[in-house]
């Protein structure tokens, strides 16, 4: 073992030639495959990987996931510790800067974000231009992108101070845009930010304030909102984060990149999972119906939503946190009948060998939708809440990508399988 080399020996059976490829951090470089050719004019071997299921295109220090062991860490800190002891803004600082802040740094960070929550009045007019029943996520995508026109200096991405300013603005203004999108969609007057409230409390204020002079968020719901944002703050190279990095690789400003990432999250396969869980629980109807639906699922007649994950092959560590959080929220909001169904479904599924063999465990979406519903959020706001939590993770990856000297503008290869050269024929001669 002492003589073991960190290399991969590959024999090309087309030519009989052998190649030795270095292995670093458990990976080979795809560019090393280019030396494998059948002739001098051969382009070289490519790796074909639809949906990038087994391709790493970045080196990242931000988030670590061990799907088999059910581990999630931000900058080395277990998600359980952060959700139990930290705040969303402290976690945002950690993701962006790489270390937890000192008290002085944290106070300055909170002050700066708190005092950048207001948006230009013209953005309100922009939002007013949407149809009265426009989806809040569609409004959010557009208004986040529109911020780039209000802050043209954001294009100076090579200046650290300019980058920091835009990062603060995006984290600060995202909840305002999210809440305004909701208020517009239901025809309510906008509620302005309140600098006396916490990040989560201020968002609840902008969502729910009506005629009261001062909105006072329930501390349990305020903390629940903060924890849910922490749980969604980053999740490695998912679809929207990859989109953020890809757009950023062209040196686009962060507002444009964040709009693209938000659009990626708009897709139901990414940002709509917790809504799908709610629809499933409503279809099941009552807890005593759960065994019947479990059998249907095992027979391929029904799909259980909120079970299994592309990354986790063990219990999603966020699911345990959000399950406990659900019970705390319902102490304030009152019991939701869907919770009984969810608990029964989880208990039966976890004891069934069918699910254990297939490593189908509850994920974070299994309980988060129930909590959001209990807090009064409509399902149309679920992906908006997801995006609001994810923005610091997106920005951390955007900045990391900019500072990585190995990175360049993203430009994947393709395997062309279309027609060969053909001669054009006038329309009258086409069969």
């Amino acid at each position: 073992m002492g003589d073991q080399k960190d290399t991969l020996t590959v024999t090309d059976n087309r030519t009989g030639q052998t190649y030795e490829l270095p292995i670093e951090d458990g990976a080979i470089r795809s560019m090393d495959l280019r030396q494998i050719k059948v002739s001098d004019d051969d382009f070289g071997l490519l790796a074909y990987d639809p949906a990038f299921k087994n391709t790493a295109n970045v080196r990242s220090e931000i988030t670590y996931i061990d799907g088999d062991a059910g581990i999630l860490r931000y900058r080395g800190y277990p998600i359980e510790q952060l959700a139990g002891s930290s705040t969303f803004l402290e976690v945002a600082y950690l993701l962006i800067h790489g270390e937890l802040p000192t008290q002085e740094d944290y106070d300055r960070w909170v002050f700066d974000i708190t005092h950048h929550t207001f948006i230009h009045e013209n953005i309100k007019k922009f939002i007013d231009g949407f149809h009265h029943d426009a989806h809040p996520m569609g409004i959010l995508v557009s208004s986040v992108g529109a911020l780039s026109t209000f802050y043209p200096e954001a294009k100076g991405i090579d200046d650290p101070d300019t980058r920091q300013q835009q990062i603060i603005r995006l984290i600060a203004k995202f909840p305002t845009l999210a809440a305004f999108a909701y208020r517009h969609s239901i025809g309510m007057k906008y509620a302005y930010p309140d600098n006396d409230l916490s990040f989560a409390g201020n968002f609840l204020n902008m969502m729910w304030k009506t005629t009261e002079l001062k909105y006072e968020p329930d501390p349990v719901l305020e903390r629940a909102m903060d924890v849910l944002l922490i749980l969604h703050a980053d999740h490695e190279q998912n679809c929207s984060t990859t989109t953020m990095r890809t757009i950023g690789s062209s040196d686009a400003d962060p507002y444009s990149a964040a709009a693209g990432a938000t659009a990626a999250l708009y897709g139901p396969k990414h940002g709509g999972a917790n809504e799908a869980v709610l629809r499933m629980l409503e279809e099941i109807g009552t807890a005593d119906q759960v065994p019947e639906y479990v059998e249907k699922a095992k027979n391929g007649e029904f799909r259980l939503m909120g079970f299994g994950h592309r990354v986790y092959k063990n219990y999603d560590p966020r699911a345990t946190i959000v399950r406990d959080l659900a019970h705390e929220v319902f102490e304030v909001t009152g019991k939701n009948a869907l919770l009984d169904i969810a608990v029964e479904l989880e208990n039966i599924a976890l004891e069934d060998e069918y699910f254990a063999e297939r490593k189908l465990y509850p994920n974070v979406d299994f309980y988060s939708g129930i909590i959001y519903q209990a807090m009064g959020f409509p399902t149309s706001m679920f992906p908006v809440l997801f995006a609001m939590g994810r923005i610091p993770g997106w920005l951390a990856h955007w900045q990391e990508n900019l500072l990585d000297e190995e990175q360049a503008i993203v430009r994947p290869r393709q395997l062309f399988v279309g027609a060969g050269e053909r001669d054009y024929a006038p329309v009258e001669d086409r069969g």
Side-chain angles (χ1 to χ4, degrees), residues 231-376:
L231 297 180
H232 287 102
D234 194 49
H235 209 243
E236 203 222 50
Q237 304 304 318
N238 52 79
C239 176
S240 56
T241 300
T242 300
T243 301
M244 185 81 178
R245 280 184 175 261
T246 298
I247 297 175
S249 75
S250 72
D251 286 354
D253 67 83
Y255 302 103
S256 299
T262 307
L265 196 60
Y266 199 174
K269 287 185 178 181
H270 191 8
N274 46 17
E275 180 180 351
V277 170
L278 275 186
R279 289 198 300 268
M280 174 195 70
L281 296 175
E282 289 168 351
E283 180 177 344
I284 293 174
T286 58
D288 60 357
Q289 293 282 95
V290 169
E292 176 185 341
Y293 276 86
V294 168
E295 288 304 312
K296 286 183 177 180
K298 290 160 65 175
N299 295 329
E301 301 169 5
F302 182 74
R303 184 178 179 187
L304 291 184
M305 307 303 297
F307 282 80
H309 195 278
R310 171 93 166 251
V311 173
Y312 294 110
K313 305 307 175 189
N314 199 322
Y315 206 99
D316 183 339
R318 301 168 300 173
T320 304
I321 300 167
V322 80
R323 179 187 60 196
D324 296 339
L325 192 64
H327 293 283
E328 296 175 20
V329 168
F330 291 134
E331 288 293 321
V332 174
T333 63
K335 195 79 173 283
N336 185 329
L338 297 182
L339 179 62
D340 292 333
I341 302 172
V343 170
E344 182 67 12
L345 179 56
E346 180 181 11
N347 290 339
I348 290 178
L350 289 179
E351 293 174 359
D352 196 304
E353 290 184 6
Y354 175 90
F355 296 94
E357 290 173 357
R358 290 162 176 77
K359 302 184 184 298
L360 296 175
Y361 301 98
N363 58 44
V364 69
D365 299 306
F366 188 68
Y367 282 105
S368 62
I370 306 175
I371 297 177
Y372 287 145
Q373 185 186 65
M375 292 175 69

Side-chain angles (χ1 to χ4, degrees), residues 402-420:
L402 287 176
L403 300 178
D404 186 344
E405 294 182 355
E406 279 197 308
Q407 291 297 326
I409 184 170
V410 171
R411 200 341 182 145
R413 296 288 179 176
Q414 69 169 21
L415 300 180
F416 180 72
V417 294

Side-chain angles (χ1 to χ4, degrees), residues 65-214:
I65 298 174
D66 184 334
D68 293 329
I71 293 173
L72 171 62
R73 300 178 191 138
Y74 296 163
R75 299 286 191 179
Y77 294 95
I79 190 63
E80 296 86 354
Q81 293 181 20
L82 294 174
S85 304
S86 191
T87 67
F88 176 66
L89 287 187
E90 185 176 57
V91 169
Y93 185 99
L94 170 67
L95 291 170
I96 299 294
H97 296 95
E99 299 291 343
L100 288 170
T102 64
Q103 188 64 56
E104 182 180 355
D105 289 337
Y106 181 66
D107 291 344
R108 168 55 60 181
W109 176 250
V110 172
F111 179 90
D112 287 344
I113 289 176
T114 301
H115 289 80
H116 279 84
T117 52
F118 282 80
I119 59 174
H120 196 287
E121 288 294 300
N122 283 353
I123 297 181
K124 281 176 48 184
K125 296 178 183 178
F126 177 72
I127 294 174
D128 284 338
F130 284 89
H131 201 258
H132 69 89
D133 60 354
H135 196 291
M137 196 65 167
I139 298 175
L140 183 65
V141 170
S142 302
S143 56
V144 170
L147 286 178
S148 67
T149 65
F150 288 84
Y151 306 110
E153 69 273 18
K155 296 183 182 301
I157 58 173
D158 293 326
D159 181 0
D161 292 335
T162 298
R163 285 201 306 269
Q164 180 72 0
Q165 183 71 14
Q166 312 322 311
I167 287 170
I168 289 171
R169 282 173 173 161
L170 263 168
I171 295 174
K173 298 180 190 305
F174 223 88
T176 309
L177 295 176
F180 281 22
Y182 167 72
R183 304 277 287 212
H184 173 80
S185 70
I186 60 170
M188 284 188 69
K189 184 178 180 180
Y190 303 127
Y192 282 95
D194 184 343
N195 290 350
D196 293 335
L197 298 175
S198 71
F199 186 86
N202 183 39
F203 174 65
L204 296 177
N205 156 68
M206 292 187 289
M207 284 290 298
W208 310 127
K209 184 178 180 181
T210 52
T211 59
E212 64 267 48
L213 293 177
K214 184 79 170 177

Side-chain angles (χ1 to χ4, degrees), residues 28-31 33-34 43-50 52 54-55 412-415:
I28 63 168
R29 288 183 175 268
S30 292
M31 287 299 290
L33 297 175
R34 291 275 292 275
F43 182 79
L45 201 63
L46 292 175
Y48 178 57
D49 186 13
F52 304 111
N54 196 46
T55 296
R413 296 288 179 176
Q414 69 169 21
L415 300 180

